Amino acid sequence: MIDQTNDGIVGIYESFSDQKYRLACIKDQGVYKLVFLSAGSSGYSQWRLGDVKAILEPSATRGAFKAKWYMADKTISQGIILFKGATLSITIEGASEG
């Protein structure tokens, strides 16, 4: 059951930005990934349910991850993902997209 294996990071997250997208954080063979669920803007028309939005690499700080982040056009950027309580914070290098 998910309640028995939930580590406080796995779950569904919704943005408050203009993109209004929803992401799920999953743990796939020991690797955290953010997967696309939906978006409220037309800039995500090439995205499908379950597409990988980011692959997370753990850091020395609990809840902080380095990320390979897939932008709206599916180009790759680097970023930092922070999990704190029920909040997911995303910082993408040199990008206006979250």
Side-chain angles (χ1 to χ4, degrees):
M1 293 183 59
I2 194 165
D3 290 337
Q4 295 171 344
T5 59
N6 189 352
D7 56 9
I9 293 175
V10 171
I12 297 175
Y13 298 87
E14 188 169 334
S15 76
F16 293 104
S17 68
D18 293 340
Q19 285 91 15
K20 299 284 186 210
Y21 55 79
R22 294 180 70 206
L23 302 172
C25 183
I26 63 168
K27 197 169 187 179
D28 181 24
Q29 297 180 3
V31 176
Y32 288 106
K33 296 178 182 177
L34 295 176
V35 295
F36 180 82
L37 297 178
S38 65
S41 73
S42 60
Y44 286 86
S45 60
Q46 63 187 349
W47 286 82
R48 301 291 175 248
L49 178 68
D51 283 353
V52 174
K53 185 74 170 139
I55 299 171
L56 310 183
E57 181 181 323
S59 73
T61 304
R62 182 174 167 86
F65 295 83
K66 182 176 176 183
K68 182 190 329 182
W69 181 265
Y70 294 89
M71 303 298 286
D73 63 1
K74 296 200 174 183
T75 58
I76 300 171
S77 281
Q78 297 299 312
I80 302 294
I81 307 291
L82 300 173
F83 293 92
K84 186 173 183 179
T87 303
L88 164 66
S89 180
I90 303 167
T91 303
I92 306 300
E93 293 178 5
S96 59
E97 174 193 10

